[in-house]
Amino acid sequence: MSDKKLSRRDFLKAASTALAASGFAALPVGLVRAQDDEITISLWGFANNRDEWMQNLVEELWTDMHPNVNVDLSLTPYADLWPKLQAAFVAGAGIPDMVDIEISAMGQFVRDAGSEPYAPLNDHIGEQLEDLSIPSATKPWTVRGNIYGVGNEVNPVLLYYRHDIFDELGMDAEAPATWDEFVNMLGGGAMDAGHGLFPLATQSWADFYVQFHQAGGEFFDAEDNVQVQSQLAIDILNWQKAQLDSGVYIEQGTGDAQYALMNEAAYITVWGAPWYQGFMKQNAPDLAGLWKMRPLPMWGDGGFATVPRGGTGMGITAASENKEAAWEFIRVCNLTAEGSLLAFRRMNLFPSYKPVWDAEELLRTDDYFSGQKPGEFIAEAASAMAEVNVSPYWTLFVDAVNRLIVQPVMLDGADPEAAIQEAIDEFEFNK
């Protein structure tokens, strides 16, 4: 046997060869470029877990593939990123090559046709569009037929519950099939033991939207018309307010407060998309092995098994002078087996890249969730997930929903119908 050490480059080459033999396309070595000069491409993001994934990808894959292309990853708090980015676009200077575009922030940048600050990716993606789960990978970042971002995650909402506490209380968290059964069968026992059953966001649109959307509602239709002025929206708001008033639901809190409540068992169920599992591990590591997951309860009169929650697409700015290099980075992250599976290993993000859906790695067990296989739950939920219409006016509208619907109804007892009308009136005036 040779004593020669296997170099990192040889290892990656061998791994790519093995992957190709298994049916996955091997990654190209060396970026196609007119010159071999060293360049740097930049990406602005906001999420620690995504930043960790991309840092790992640069170290484990990218540097050996494209040694002449450095990647500068910059992390900015979520609330600060969008005004910072908008200021750069207006100034025409200091604009990054790429941006991690969170689904809710997309609309504010693409309202005016012809002046979008992102580069269309349709031609870059080409036939590989068939390899992607469209509702999660491209639809949220598609405006007027142009794809401005690629997301790497299938993000159906699941319900997580403290099985240790439910076992102690002699209650079966798997039993409720509907939301009414959920609160009626589990709420009283949870409160008697000093726990809230579920944390509700009282200052944000998100939790209202999850249940409204699951029940069959939408904020916008495909033509950007507001759809929240409905009896369904009123019923969902009244139902959530009733759970909050009864003590079955508790206020979620914001920022670190919600995880403090989680660690204290102030609530014993919570919902979230697969990316939320990563945040649970980061912010509540001592609860490893105490959680399990299950599908969401259903609304009695129908609706969907689950809905997408959140999502982040990688986009290229129109001002970038390194679009080919930027696309290659996005491709490696989102449209290769290696990049997609690395995201799953780091963050439990079930890939939107369909060629890896039968990879055994996606069916691994997770000790944090008591030996369950997250991939099985995610794949089953994704097959029955509602789509979402993301309007260019999404950010403007949800700001009105936060201030004029959710907060007044949940915190002050405002009439839902009047609150909805006020939010729509303000939105249409400012639109």
Side-chain angles (χ1 to χ4, degrees):
M1 179 180 293
S2 171
D3 291 330
K4 181 181 176 182
K5 294 181 66 176
L6 185 66
S7 71
R8 184 176 179 81
R9 185 181 299 277
D10 289 337
F11 173 79
L12 288 170
K13 183 177 180 180
S16 293
T17 301
L19 194 63
S22 68
F24 297 131
L27 295 176
V29 177
L31 182 64
V32 177
R33 191 170 171 81
Q35 72 273 6
D36 293 327
D37 296 339
E38 185 171 311
I39 64 171
T40 296
I41 54 175
S42 55
L43 182 144
W44 287 4
F46 60 90
N48 288 322
N49 57 351
R50 286 182 61 85
D51 182 72
E52 179 183 346
W53 160 54
M54 284 185 269
Q55 293 280 7
N56 292 152
L57 185 140
V58 169
E59 294 170 3
E60 297 179 25
L61 297 173
W62 181 263
T63 299
D64 287 274
M65 293 165 52
H66 304 302
N68 65 313
V69 184
N70 301 312
V71 182
D72 178 22
L73 301 172
S74 175
L75 204 58
T76 301
Y78 180 90
D80 299 330
L81 177 58
W82 316 116
K84 175 183 175 182
L85 186 61
Q86 197 72 270
F89 286 148
V90 171
I95 301 173
D97 295 291
M98 298 171 287
V99 180
D100 247 0
I101 315 169
E102 197 273 334
I103 183 173
S104 300
M106 177 67 182
Q108 62 188 290
F109 297 102
V110 293
R111 289 179 193 163
D112 299 323
S115 62
E116 296 89 349
Y118 300 111
L121 304 178
N122 304 53
D123 291 341
H124 287 291
I125 299 172
E127 293 181 357
Q128 278 202 283
L129 187 64
E130 298 178 1
D131 292 334
L132 294 171
S133 174
I134 303 302
S136 296
T138 58
K139 192 175 188 297
W141 300 276
T142 300
V143 179
R144 293 179 282 273
N146 289 321
I147 300 171
Y148 294 110
V150 178
N152 72 328
E153 58 188 294
V154 177
N155 47 12
V157 175
L158 297 168
L159 187 72
Y160 311 107
Y161 63 92
R162 285 286 302 272
H163 72 87
D164 61 320
I165 294 177
F166 280 103
D167 289 345
E168 289 176 7
L169 298 177
M171 296 193 299
D172 183 4
E174 299 280 347
T178 68
W179 283 111
D180 283 335
E181 290 177 353
F182 175 72
V183 297
N184 292 332
M185 294 171 63
L186 306 179
M191 287 192 295
D192 288 345
H195 309 285
L197 181 62
F198 183 88
L200 185 72
T202 58
Q203 301 180 52
S204 166
W205 58 273
D207 285 352
F208 161 56
Y209 181 67
V210 167
Q211 291 200 302
F212 176 54
H213 194 190
Q214 190 197 7
E218 260 287 23
F219 278 0
F220 292 93
D221 65 16
E223 284 73 44
D224 298 330
N225 300 305
V226 174
Q227 299 295 295
V228 76
Q229 195 171 26
S230 66
Q231 186 60 47
L232 179 62
I234 293 170
D235 290 344
I236 296 296
L237 288 166
N238 280 327
W239 190 89
Q240 290 186 334
K241 175 61 173 172
Q243 311 319 316
L244 195 65
D245 288 346
S246 72
V248 173
Y249 280 14
I250 66 168
E251 288 191 50
Q252 181 186 62
T254 59
D256 293 339
Q258 62 181 298
Y259 296 110
L261 293 172
M262 177 183 288
N263 281 292
E264 296 165 4
Y267 57 85
I268 55 177
T269 73
V270 64
W271 61 37
W275 52 262
Y276 187 69
Q277 297 177 17
F279 286 104
M280 293 171 71
K281 293 177 179 180
Q282 289 177 342
N283 293 280
D286 293 339
L287 302 184
L290 303 182
W291 293 97
K292 285 186 177 180
M293 64 185 74
R294 55 153 289 178
L296 293 180
M298 294 283 291
W299 289 106
D301 295 329
F304 298 93
T306 189
V307 296
R309 175 69 182 95
T312 301
M314 298 173 68
I316 301 173
T317 61
S320 172
E321 297 180 355
N322 301 300
K323 289 185 176 66
E324 292 301 322
W327 169 249
E328 174 66 359
F329 184 71
I330 291 175
R331 188 192 70 82
V332 172
C333 287
N334 302 282
L335 286 160
T336 68
E338 294 94 331
S340 297
L341 294 176
L342 182 63
F344 183 76
R345 287 195 296 272
R346 294 292 184 270
M347 301 184 293
N348 266 12
L349 297 185
F350 194 89
S352 60
Y353 183 58
K354 295 189 292 186
V356 300
W357 279 9
D358 60 354
E360 290 186 10
E361 183 173 352
L362 295 182
L363 300 179
R364 63 173 172 79
T365 59
D366 190 327
D367 291 341
Y368 192 88
F369 293 99
S370 308
Q372 289 181 316
K373 297 179 179 180
E376 290 184 342
F377 288 87
I378 297 166
E380 182 176 354
S383 67
M385 181 171 64
E387 292 192 3
V388 59
N389 293 315
V390 181
S391 166
Y393 298 98
W394 181 276
T395 305
L396 182 65
F397 183 64
V398 298
D399 175 67
V401 173
N402 291 344
R403 293 182 293 103
L404 301 177
I405 298 178
V406 175
Q407 292 182 36
V409 170
M410 297 302 160
L411 300 180
D412 302 324
D415 174 63
E417 185 174 9
I420 289 171
Q421 186 61 59
E422 184 177 0
I424 292 175
D425 289 345
E426 182 189 273
F427 168 72
E428 295 293 347
F429 179 81
N430 292 324
K431 185 176 174 182

